[in-house]
Amino acid sequence: MKWLFKFDKDKWQKRQRQRQMQKNLRSMESIRKIKRELILFFKRNHEFFHVERCIEDAAGDPIAIQKMFDSIPVMVRDMMSGNESFQLAATARVSFLLSTENPPIDVVIQSGVVPHFVRFLYEQYGFQHKLYSVSALYAIGKGSLEQAVAVIKHGAIPMFIRLLCCSEECYQLKELVAAALGSLANQSPDFRDYVLQFGTLTPLLSLLDNHLEPPMLHEKITLLRACSNTLAIFCQGNPAPSFNQIRSALPILRRLIHLNPPVGVIGDVFEDACLCLSYLSNGSAEQIQALIDADVCARLVMLLGGFFSDGKIVEHVLRTVGNIFKGVDSQIQILINNGVFFCFNAILMHGSNSSVLGKTCSAIPTLTARGRNQMQKIMDAHIIPSLLYLSQSDNYDVEVRWDAACALSNAARRGSNEQIRFLVNQGCIGPLCDHILCPDRKTSILCLKGLKSVLKASEIMHSTRNLYTLIITDFDGFGKVEKLQSDPDIGEMAMKLLMKYGV
Amino acid sequence: MAMEVTQVLLNAQSIDGAVRKNAEDSLKQFQEQNLPVFLVSLSGELANEEKPVETRKLAGLVLKNALVAKEQHRKFELVQRWLSLDGNAKSQIKACLLKTLTSPVLDARSTASQVIAKVAGIELPHKQWPELIGSLLSNVHQLPAQAKQATLETLGYLCEEVSPDVIDQDQVNKILTAVVQGMSSSEGNTDVRLAATRALYNALGFAQANFSNDMERDYIMRVVCEATLSPEVRIRQAAFECLVSISSTYYEKLAPYIQDIFNITAKAVREDEEPVALQAIEFWSSICDEEIDILEEYGGDFTGDSDIPCFYFIKQALPALVPMLLETLLKQEEDQDQDEGAWNIAMAGGTCLGLVARTVGDDIVPLVVPFIEENISKQDWRQREAATYAFGSILEGPSPEKLIPLVNVALTFMLSALTKDPNSHVKDTTAWTLGRIFEFLHGSVVDSPIISQANCQQIITVLLQSMKDTPNVAEKACGALYFLAQGYEEMGPSSPLTPFFQEIVQSLLTVTHREDAGESRLRTAAYETLNEVVRCSTDETAPLVLQLVPVIMMELHNTLEGQKLSSDEREKQSELQGLLCGCLQVIIQKLGASEPTKYVFMQYADQIMGLFLRVFACRSATVHEEAMLAIGALAYVTGADFAKYMPEFYRYLEMGLQNFEEYQVCAVTVGVVGDISRALEEKIVPYCDGIMTQLLKNLSSNQLHRSVKPPIFSCFGDIALAVGEYFEKYLMWAMSALQSAAELSTHIAGDDELVEYTNSLRNGILEAYSGIFQGFKNSPKTQLLIPYAPHILQFLDGIYMEKDMDDVVMKTAIGVLGDLADTLGSDAGSMIQQSVSSKDFLNECLSSEDLMIKESAEWAKLAISRAISV
């Protein structure tokens, strides 16, 4: 017969009796369960956990890339699934494939995943996921015009703007987004205007604005660079963007051209800003006035004094200065007041970069074309001797000599008699004659026209004898002009000149 | 054909060892040479009235032992042997057995009863011996009292031996009629009435139909209640045992009788002899048990999902029941607290009171508080102890809101009683009550803490001081500290115990060194508490836990020093090693859980492993479970570095796996194989042949306890995950073992326990499949798995159709579907699409409210869509 009690006073005690082993066993069992599930989880999500290594291994391995390419349908399926890990892994793979040498952009577009890339930019997706998606969209946006249409069509731009605006400090992502926007805008002026029309400029500018002070400046410099580059793309193109759409960039640009020192990546940002200004200055007097009101002129002129500026920057500034020279007198005067001629002289006398020298020479005719008043200012600034020196110097590329000669002949062409006398006294006939047979047609023509202008002035000033013919003869000027007689374009002009003034 | 066995049987009971040995050998020889004749001879001896009673009894016993054995596999063999025995011999034996029931010799009758029941236990399920019950009952009324007693006893044993579905209702009716008639007060013979009452106890499980019939039930209940009033104490006791059994088996039928039963039990508790009174209390404990289960199933949301409604018997009886139970508390025995096996009315009453509190909750409090107040300060220790015991008993059940005001008042009193009360019983119960307070009313579950910074210091001082008290009090103090520490688990980065940590640990270690620590399981309690204190400790005390490592290592080292131990000493040594290994396991897990402490701990790893190996070496035949488990924990901490221990450890691992007699040892070792697989990953390869061979051997053995099978299958999965495609070597064997187990586990018919087991088996099988698929994934050998896919899908479909899997199996099963698709890819696409699992089952899981199932199903859905997209 059973003598069984279900209860003890110390049910409590009984429980305790087996507690040690039981508890230890239970704790091991729960650890085992967790570990087993964890391992299974890692294996099941192998794609996800190994995606970075897999991509690393595949990079530069055509067979692995081909294999990955073949599994694009699975990736597409993964991206359409509800499993974020797999979506992420697939996005990463596709994004990697798009970064390879022959990106399968059309295959990817046709598989219909572009909308998914756009979808993955919503808040609920992780940073990595967004990064891979933007990178994929960036790659597609860099493709042909038709391919870039796919990106725009599925609403990527508003999402890009949301990402630029988001309060999180996801710099890497924002950098990529800025670049992607730039690549889209770079497709065509229409694309550029389309991108701008979403109000893209404002977040781009505020990103620049927020990261311009140290230590951000140095830590996030690549982000700045991407933004400045995109900004430059926004400013350029033919037809140019509507000035009103981009003029709000001016205050930031002013700050950018004050960055110091403009070397390395900071130099690149700096250069982008100068490039932007050169585009923005290429327009009406109102446009130029906006630049002046933004208070950039003093700095620009200082940059020309450029012991620190590299050639590119000076070239952009020279282009800007040249554009402002096309403005009204008061605008030009601001540059002059800031010492633009002093800088010109410094460049012409001490400069070593041929391209800069050439651009400087080329800026001068813009001004001489503005009338004798402006020309007089150039003469007063002692620029002529510098040009004369350059036009004859062997120290630079031949083009530099030509550009200098062009500047001189332009001056001669436009100058008053007095001004021409001044030029002749300074010795400008020699260079004109030297370059009259220049292989560069433009230089050759200008020199011929310059000589003609000099001879004409002399005729008026010296009623008895055309004194300047003697000087020209000394330089064998007529001999050279003779050789131009057979030229189909200017042969007639040369012939007339010889007939009228020839000795 | 029978042979004379009397002399041999006599010799087998000789006091002369040589003679005895000789006789045992010849019995064995006889049995091996000619089993039928041997068994017939034994039954003849049993039936022969001329033989001495000792040889008749022994003959019956040897016969019985030829039919049953304890070990599962041996039992199975004996059943097969009996079933295939010569029919003639069996008839002869049965005839002898039945004849013996009419013997005037009580021992012979009683032995025959038992043997008949064993034979019936084998034959009735095979539809053999159909005439047995008929022949037992045919003339039961005309029999002389002795034979009647033997017949009823036989029926009782028979009911104990066979399951209810084996006997048809007609025969059940006849059995019950005979039994109940034998029990009735009209039966003049006490032995007959007692045998009938005991038989009813076993037959109650057969009486489902009869209890559904009002007339029959009324009759049975009346007879049982009458029997509780018998002048014979054994009959009263047996009758109350019947009532206890009825209370759990036929709870829902009790309403008409409960008032009468209360009266009967109350009288018995107050007036009857202890064995009867204990059963009377047990009746109410059993009712509590039923109602607690039912109310738990109600789950508080009163939808009444339970099949059986709650009749609230306890709630209704409360005003009378509680005073009755409180009275019993005053009937303590002297020195009951020193005797671990002690059981008396006071203890039974307190236990029942505790169950009543759990059943009715707050309602019990006002009924008990006056008793406590009245008695807690009395001169007589019995009153103080009873009051404390009453308080301790009602701490589980009522709401904290109700109890906390009481506890706040009582706590100071209790702490002072624990130090100052002159009586050891009172201190013992006080310490126990403090433990209950901390268990149920302390910790994150309670809104208003009963322990403040102010009294924490005092509590700890008192408890640590009580650890120096007598072993039973010290043991309860350890228990209280255990729950105190547990309550501070997950309390954040800082624990109120931190300032006392060092002192607590030191006190506990001192307790373990007490001369009398072996009494009242004091040493065990001290180590358990130490473990809990360590387990619930925070980062603040991590350096102190680290300091504990060499201390416990030294203790373990000391157990290895003893030479030439007696078996008793060896047992004690092994127990102590168990405690120390368990303690090290807790420390290893604690320190392994965070990187900085793990790093520092690693310096001890070699030495600890060395100690564990020496613990193993203390025994020759079997391995030490606790050491094995601790090694599993160590493996997680060392990771792949564990490889350096494998050459030495492997033999013990193998020894553990081979030990299916002690199946727990085998199960623990199987688990550790999993731990080591995860730690070593492919470095386990050199040992895989041995491990897999042994595991497969275990599975094919019918001696292996069934509970070890699911872990073995899970272990296949663990190994496959660790070694990947290298598993190819074992694939065929493992898959075949899995397949046959899968077929067995698809359909279940049986009780809850079997359903539960089957689900754990399914889970093991499924974990193996998942492990194998994921292990092979991305290898060039996935093709090898394709031939097994149809069966696996069929298995998944099968268990889905059965509709009886639990949530864990569901989650694992749908995961396997995903793993299959994931690994086999397009090769299995169409196969998967044709399966029920990929449609209905998957959809059901996708819409499951269980997040784990849902997540698993999402994975499967994805994996399938990938498989069919290429």
Side-chain angles (χ1 to χ4, degrees):
Chain A
M1 190 63 50
K2 288 175 193 166
W3 264 92
L4 204 128
F5 294 100
K6 266 177 278 171
F7 309 107
D8 251 79
K9 162 182 178 179
D10 297 70
K11 194 182 172 187
W12 178 76
Q13 203 176 29
K14 231 180 187 175
R15 237 174 27 211
Q16 265 203 336
R17 196 160 293 156
Q18 312 142 344
R19 195 161 50 198
Q20 157 129 349
M21 184 66 191
Q22 284 296 326
K23 192 159 193 165
N24 283 356
L25 201 56
R26 272 206 310 276
S27 98
M28 279 303 282
E29 272 163 7
S30 72
I31 289 176
R32 280 176 193 146
K33 197 166 165 274
I34 292 167
K35 297 264 179 191
R36 186 178 289 139
E37 291 196 348
L38 199 66
I39 292 176
L40 265 185
F41 180 77
F42 276 109
K43 294 265 183 186
R44 285 175 179 170
N45 293 286
H46 180 272
E47 296 268 324
F48 167 67
F49 289 108
H50 291 78
V51 65
E52 282 177 28
R53 218 179 81 194
C54 168
I55 287 173
E56 229 168 81
D57 292 350
D61 175 356
I63 299 170
I65 291 175
Q66 183 58 42
K67 220 174 139 194
M68 214 189 269
F69 180 85
D70 292 340
S71 65
I72 285 181
V74 180
M75 299 177 197
V76 171
R77 179 66 76 151
D78 285 354
M79 272 193 254
M80 294 174 179
S81 78
N83 183 311
E84 275 189 44
S85 308
F86 279 81
Q87 288 175 339
L88 173 55
T91 310
R93 281 183 164 79
V94 176
S95 158
F96 163 74
L97 283 175
L98 288 171
S99 75
T100 53
E101 213 164 309
N102 296 306
I105 297 180
D106 285 329
V107 176
V108 171
I109 292 173
Q110 276 148 29
S111 71
V113 292
V114 176
H116 293 285
F117 290 137
V118 175
R119 181 165 64 91
F120 298 149
L121 303 182
Y122 278 97
E123 282 85 1
Q124 69 261 37
Y125 293 92
F127 169 74
Q128 276 296 330
H129 207 160
K130 289 177 183 150
L131 201 64
Y132 289 128
S133 304
V134 173
S135 149
L137 291 168
Y138 181 22
I140 300 171
K142 273 194 294 196
S144 70
L145 200 81
E146 291 73 30
Q147 291 168 337
V149 166
V151 175
I152 287 186
K153 198 168 70 182
H154 290 107
I157 292 171
M159 289 312 300
F160 282 166
I161 292 172
R162 274 172 80 154
L163 290 177
L164 285 185
C165 295
C166 95
S167 54
E168 280 168 65
E169 298 181 332
C170 35
Y171 303 106
Q172 210 187 340
L173 184 63
K174 290 180 179 177
E175 182 181 330
L176 205 54
V177 169
L181 284 166
S183 77
L184 286 173
N186 208 21
Q187 285 285 354
S188 78
D190 285 343
F191 266 74
R192 178 199 63 205
D193 292 341
Y194 185 78
V195 170
L196 280 172
Q197 157 202 316
F198 283 92
T200 317
L201 195 61
T202 314
L204 195 71
L205 292 174
S206 74
L207 264 185
L208 284 163
D209 188 32
N210 292 334
H211 298 97
L212 269 180
E213 301 298 331
M216 285 297 209
L217 172 64
H218 298 286
E219 285 169 15
K220 310 303 167 207
I221 185 65
T222 54
L223 169 66
L224 283 179
R225 164 66 179 161
C227 293
S228 66
N229 194 48
T230 296
L231 187 58
I233 293 171
F234 287 166
C235 294
Q236 60 186 274
N238 188 18
S242 134
F243 183 69
N244 279 334
Q245 218 161 18
I246 48 174
R247 66 183 299 161
S248 55
L250 282 168
I252 297 295
L253 290 173
R254 179 183 180 274
R255 290 180 64 195
L256 291 180
I257 59 170
H258 280 84
L259 286 175
N260 233 341
V263 292
V265 187
I266 294 184
D268 295 338
V269 174
F270 199 105
E271 191 188 314
D272 285 333
C274 294
L275 183 62
C276 288
L277 288 172
S278 78
Y279 288 123
L280 291 177
S281 58
N282 186 11
S284 65
E286 290 95 309
Q287 219 164 306
I288 293 169
Q289 192 56 43
L291 254 76
I292 288 164
D293 294 344
D295 189 22
V296 295
C297 290
R299 178 65 179 170
L300 286 175
V301 172
M302 194 193 280
L303 291 175
L304 286 181
F307 301 103
F308 52 83
S309 311
D310 82 347
K312 282 270 183 207
I313 291 173
V314 180
E315 280 177 43
H316 297 322
V317 175
L318 282 170
R319 219 176 306 119
T320 309
V321 167
N323 286 335
I324 296 173
F325 283 167
K326 292 175 194 157
V328 297
D329 286 355
S330 63
Q331 293 166 340
I332 298 167
Q333 192 57 43
I334 286 172
L335 289 182
I336 296 171
N337 294 348
N338 279 302
V340 72
F341 293 144
F342 178 80
C343 295
F344 274 19
N345 251 336
I347 293 172
L348 297 177
M349 295 302 292
H350 310 292
S352 57
N353 181 321
S354 301
S355 170
V356 170
L357 288 169
K359 290 252 165 28
T360 311
C361 295
S362 308
I364 292 164
T366 315
L367 211 53
T368 52
R370 298 302 310 249
R372 290 170 184 162
N373 183 23
Q374 296 298 351
M375 180 130 81
Q376 192 56 47
K377 288 174 187 164
I378 289 174
M379 290 172 169
D380 297 346
H382 309 293
I383 286 176
I384 303 300
S386 307
L387 290 173
L388 286 167
Y389 158 74
L390 271 184
S391 68
Q392 290 162 312
S393 167
D394 289 334
N395 294 337
Y396 306 103
D397 292 351
V398 67
E399 288 87 358
V400 174
R401 297 213 293 268
W402 300 344
D403 286 337
C406 288
L408 286 172
S409 49
N410 259 316
R413 264 175 17 143
R414 314 256 182 194
S416 65
N417 295 340
E418 273 310 304
Q419 285 168 331
I420 290 174
R421 188 210 304 273
F422 176 79
L423 288 172
V424 172
N425 291 345
Q426 295 275 310
C428 84
I429 288 180
L432 294 184
C433 295
D434 285 351
H435 296 289
I436 204 154
L437 291 179
C438 177
D440 177 59
R441 270 189 84 67
K442 183 184 143 234
T443 309
S444 172
I445 296 167
L446 277 172
C447 287
L448 181 64
K449 286 181 175 171
L451 271 189
K452 186 181 159 196
S453 191
V454 167
L455 286 167
K456 208 171 172 180
S458 176
E459 198 175 37
I460 296 162
M461 286 188 297
H462 313 105
S463 49
T464 50
R465 266 175 62 206
N466 194 329
L467 281 176
Y468 294 170
T469 54
L470 299 175
I471 306 173
I472 291 169
T473 309
D474 280 355
F475 289 100
D476 188 24
F478 295 114
K480 288 172 181 164
V481 173
E482 247 175 81
K483 292 181 181 158
L484 287 174
Q485 285 182 87
S486 55
D487 188 288
D489 296 326
I490 51 173
E492 201 182 324
M493 197 206 293
M495 207 184 303
K496 279 182 181 166
L497 188 132
L498 281 175
M499 278 164 61
K500 191 164 181 188
Y501 305 107
V503 198
Chain B
M1 71 184 229
M3 282 182 60
E4 186 61 38
V5 289
T6 315
Q7 193 54 51
V8 193
L9 290 171
L10 275 175
N11 288 349
Q13 299 172 79
S14 165
I15 37 167
D16 182 339
V19 175
R20 204 168 59 231
K21 173 84 173 48
N22 196 10
E24 282 166 2
D25 287 348
S26 37
L27 280 174
K28 205 172 162 195
Q29 210 181 350
F30 187 7
Q31 174 167 4
E32 279 162 10
Q33 276 169 359
N34 195 335
L35 183 71
V37 177
F38 176 67
L39 296 179
V40 169
S41 307
L42 289 172
S43 63
E45 182 79 14
L46 175 61
N48 193 334
E49 298 298 337
E50 280 151 27
K51 297 293 181 183
V53 61
E54 311 86 71
T55 61
R56 294 180 72 181
K57 238 175 97 173
L58 187 58
L61 203 66
V62 174
L63 187 54
K64 195 177 98 177
N65 288 341
L67 297 170
V68 286
K70 269 192 192 135
E71 307 87 11
Q72 202 61 35
H73 66 105
R74 178 85 185 131
K75 195 173 167 180
F76 181 75
E77 280 171 22
L78 292 179
V79 167
Q80 294 306 315
R81 194 176 77 176
W82 173 263
L83 289 172
S84 57
L85 198 70
D86 170 59
N88 253 330
K90 283 197 279 195
S91 306
Q92 279 188 53
I93 294 165
K94 289 176 193 167
C96 288
L97 289 170
L98 288 172
K99 183 178 161 232
T100 313
L101 291 181
T102 59
S103 165
V105 181
L106 174 67
D107 282 341
R109 292 199 305 271
S110 183
T111 309
S113 294
Q114 292 174 41
V115 181
I116 290 170
K118 294 295 176 195
V119 175
I122 296 172
E123 294 204 346
L124 296 190
H126 291 87
K127 306 269 182 254
Q128 294 177 12
W129 211 2
E131 69 282 9
L132 169 65
I133 292 168
S135 60
L136 281 173
L137 294 173
S138 62
N139 52 357
V140 69
H141 305 298
Q142 286 94 52
L143 286 175
Q146 289 168 347
K148 203 170 174 181
Q149 177 266 340
T151 303
L152 290 166
E153 196 175 332
T154 308
L155 287 171
Y157 288 138
L158 191 144
C159 290
E160 192 178 3
E161 207 59 47
V162 302
S163 71
D165 54 341
V166 165
I167 302 177
D168 62 46
Q169 186 59 40
D170 183 45
Q171 290 193 317
V172 168
N173 291 343
K174 284 180 184 155
I175 292 172
L176 283 172
T177 308
V179 167
V180 174
Q181 275 178 8
M183 274 179 79
S184 75
S185 49
S186 60
E187 174 58 56
N189 186 298
T190 306
D191 290 336
V192 171
R193 205 174 169 198
L194 179 61
T197 312
R198 287 178 175 174
L200 180 68
Y201 180 87
N202 287 323
L204 282 167
F206 292 75
Q208 289 290 350
N210 313 81
F211 262 83
S212 301
N213 177 309
D214 291 350
M215 286 232 321
E216 289 184 44
R217 186 182 62 241
D218 282 348
Y219 181 61
I220 296 170
M221 289 304 291
R222 188 167 61 80
V223 171
V224 174
C225 289
E226 274 172 17
T228 66
L229 305 172
S230 158
E232 169 56 42
V233 62
R234 288 177 300 160
I235 295 178
R236 293 201 301 277
Q237 187 189 339
F240 272 113
E241 282 168 13
C242 287
L243 277 181
V244 172
S245 174
I246 290 169
S247 71
S248 63
T249 317
Y250 300 108
Y251 167 84
E252 73 276 18
K253 308 282 188 208
L254 280 180
Y257 318 107
I258 201 76
Q259 183 60 48
D260 289 339
I261 295 175
F262 180 80
N263 294 337
I264 295 169
T265 51
K267 190 166 154 39
V269 169
R270 292 196 169 106
E271 296 166 16
D272 211 326
E273 292 179 38
E274 187 170 64
V276 183
L278 285 175
Q279 287 300 333
I281 296 173
E282 187 71 7
F283 172 83
W284 291 103
S285 292
S286 174
I287 294 286
C288 288
D289 212 23
E290 289 303 312
E291 295 196 345
I292 289 170
D293 283 353
I294 296 170
L295 293 172
E296 228 166 59
E297 253 180 71
Y298 278 6
D301 55 7
F302 306 113
T303 47
D305 286 345
S306 173
D307 298 339
I308 301 169
C310 185
F311 288 95
Y312 299 101
F313 294 139
I314 299 295
K315 203 175 166 116
Q316 287 163 36
L318 208 56
L321 186 59
V322 171
M324 174 185 95
L325 292 172
L326 290 172
E327 269 175 53
T328 65
L329 301 187
L330 291 158
K331 297 182 182 171
Q332 305 96 327
E333 289 174 305
E334 298 280 354
D335 299 331
Q336 67 178 28
D337 51 356
Q338 321 237 307
D339 174 5
E340 278 184 59
W343 185 251
N344 56 43
I345 293 186
M347 288 171 154
T351 302
C352 188
L353 191 65
L355 288 165
V356 172
R358 285 177 55 199
T359 313
V360 302
D362 288 356
D363 292 352
I364 199 170
V365 177
L367 295 170
V368 174
V369 168
F371 179 82
I372 300 172
E373 286 170 346
E374 194 193 322
N375 291 291
I376 195 82
S377 313
K378 281 282 162 53
Q379 193 65 37
D380 183 358
W381 72 265
R382 286 175 190 279
Q383 286 173 290
R384 297 198 303 279
E385 197 276 341
T388 315
Y389 191 19
F391 185 46
S393 296
I394 62 163
L395 288 169
E396 186 186 6
S399 62
E401 296 73 45
K402 194 91 180 170
L403 292 173
I404 283 175
L406 294 177
V407 169
N408 283 332
V409 175
L411 198 54
T412 319
F413 185 91
M414 295 271 160
L415 291 172
S416 123
L418 185 52
T419 39
K420 299 198 187 96
D421 200 287
N423 183 279
S424 172
H425 291 262
V426 178
K427 284 202 231 176
D428 182 299
T429 308
T430 305
W432 173 78
T433 301
L434 282 170
R436 302 254 305 171
I437 290 174
F438 299 148
E439 182 176 5
F440 299 112
L441 297 166
H442 157 59
S444 49
V445 286
V446 184
D447 291 336
S448 52
I450 51 164
I451 303 173
S452 62
Q453 216 170 357
N455 62 9
C456 187
Q457 162 92 61
Q458 191 201 357
I459 290 168
I460 287 165
T461 309
V462 169
L463 290 180
L464 295 189
Q465 193 193 327
S466 296
M467 284 186 205
K468 298 178 189 134
D469 210 315
T470 54
N472 56 305
V473 175
E475 188 262 344
K476 302 286 193 306
C478 287
L481 190 57
Y482 177 101
F483 288 113
L484 185 70
Q486 193 177 65
Y488 285 126
E489 197 186 0
E490 292 162 19
M491 272 278 170
S494 176
S495 163
L497 292 189
T498 297
F500 312 106
F501 188 86
Q502 185 91 309
E503 197 186 351
I504 291 171
V505 168
Q506 202 47 56
S507 303
L508 288 168
L509 288 174
T510 310
V511 170
T512 65
H513 290 134
R514 276 172 62 152
E515 294 262 318
D516 54 4
E519 293 170 34
S520 297
R521 60 180 292 285
L522 176 57
R523 184 177 288 116
T524 307
Y527 276 116
E528 281 167 1
T529 305
L530 180 60
N531 291 353
E532 197 64 8
V533 168
V534 168
R535 209 176 57 79
C536 301
S537 66
T538 63
D539 288 349
E540 296 171 311
T541 40
L544 299 175
V545 176
L546 267 166
Q547 284 172 25
L548 199 53
V549 179
V551 176
I552 304 295
M553 282 168 63
M554 184 50 79
E555 298 277 341
L556 187 55
H557 176 83
N558 292 340
T559 68
L560 298 164
E561 294 300 282
Q563 302 282 321
K564 299 227 171 122
L565 300 171
S566 68
S567 71
D568 192 35
E569 286 167 324
R570 192 170 288 281
E571 188 51 43
K572 286 210 167 94
Q573 176 206 35
S574 173
E575 203 181 310
L576 180 56
Q577 287 170 345
L579 294 172
L580 291 164
C581 290
C583 185
L584 281 172
Q585 185 198 328
V586 172
I587 295 175
I588 290 168
Q589 289 181 316
K590 184 80 197 173
L591 296 175
S594 86
E595 284 303 317
T597 51
K598 180 165 136 183
Y599 182 75
V600 187
F601 168 78
M602 284 299 286
Q603 62 178 313
Y604 297 113
D606 287 355
Q607 281 171 277
I608 289 185
M609 191 62 197
L611 285 170
F612 290 153
L613 290 169
R614 287 182 64 193
V615 170
F616 284 137
C618 286
R619 298 202 208 168
S620 53
T622 177
V623 297
H624 200 281
E625 276 177 87
E626 284 91 345
M628 186 58 85
L629 203 55
I631 286 175
L634 186 67
Y636 286 117
V637 177
T638 60
D641 282 349
F642 193 84
K644 64 180 168 184
Y645 308 128
M646 281 305 280
E648 225 181 318
F649 171 58
Y650 177 70
R651 52 189 287 242
Y652 299 111
L653 196 68
E654 195 167 55
M655 204 187 277
L657 294 178
Q658 284 164 347
N659 191 354
F660 36 66
E661 277 95 52
E662 294 173 87
Y663 69 90
Q664 293 95 333
V665 174
C666 188
V668 165
T669 314
V670 169
V672 171
V673 170
D675 300 333
I676 291 171
S677 308
R678 279 181 282 273
L680 292 180
E681 298 190 318
E682 63 275 16
K683 284 188 184 163
I684 201 171
V685 163
Y687 306 96
C688 273
D689 281 0
I691 292 170
M692 284 302 294
T693 307
Q694 192 55 49
L695 291 177
L696 287 163
K697 206 162 147 191
N698 285 2
L699 284 174
S700 64
S701 158
N702 52 18
Q703 294 176 45
L704 182 76
H705 192 273
R706 68 177 192 182
S707 70
V708 192
K709 287 189 181 181
I712 290 182
F713 288 131
S714 304
C715 190
F716 283 175
D718 296 339
I719 292 174
L721 279 172
V723 303
E725 61 182 297
Y726 182 81
F727 197 78
E728 176 191 356
K729 225 173 153 183
Y730 320 109
L731 189 63
M732 203 174 85
W733 310 105
M735 282 299 196
S736 128
L738 285 163
Q739 181 161 348
S740 47
E743 273 156 21
L744 275 177
S745 82
T746 308
H747 309 287
I748 342 167
D751 52 13
D752 291 355
E753 202 188 332
L754 185 64
V755 174
E756 195 178 314
Y757 170 73
T758 308
N759 273 320
S760 83
L761 185 63
R762 288 167 173 174
N763 196 54
I765 295 167
L766 293 164
E767 282 182 338
Y769 285 143
S770 274
I772 292 170
F773 278 123
Q774 287 299 336
F776 271 78
K777 182 161 89 170
N778 297 335
S779 92
K781 296 188 176 159
T782 51
Q783 298 288 321
L784 293 172
L785 298 174
I786 294 174
Y788 304 106
H791 169 261
I792 293 169
L793 288 168
Q794 201 184 325
F795 174 52
L796 295 176
D797 287 356
I799 53 177
Y800 171 66
M801 308 287 212
E802 286 292 308
K803 301 280 175 207
D804 56 2
M805 63 179 135
D806 59 26
D807 284 356
V808 178
V809 172
M810 201 162 184
K811 174 193 149 267
T812 324
I814 205 69
V816 168
L817 182 65
D819 294 329
L820 189 149
D822 189 28
T823 298
L824 300 185
S826 54
D827 292 330
S830 62
M831 227 188 295
I832 292 167
Q833 283 176 299
Q834 281 160 22
S835 70
V836 183
S837 302
S838 70
K839 296 186 213 65
D840 301 1
F841 186 22
L842 183 59
N843 286 333
E844 194 174 316
C845 292
L846 283 170
S847 53
S848 168
E849 282 177 17
D850 184 314
L851 283 180
M852 304 278 277
I853 294 176
K854 210 173 153 148
E855 198 177 294
S856 215
E858 299 280 4
W859 147 251
K861 187 181 157 195
L862 172 71
I864 293 170
S865 77
R866 301 179 92 230
I868 58 180
S869 71
V870 186

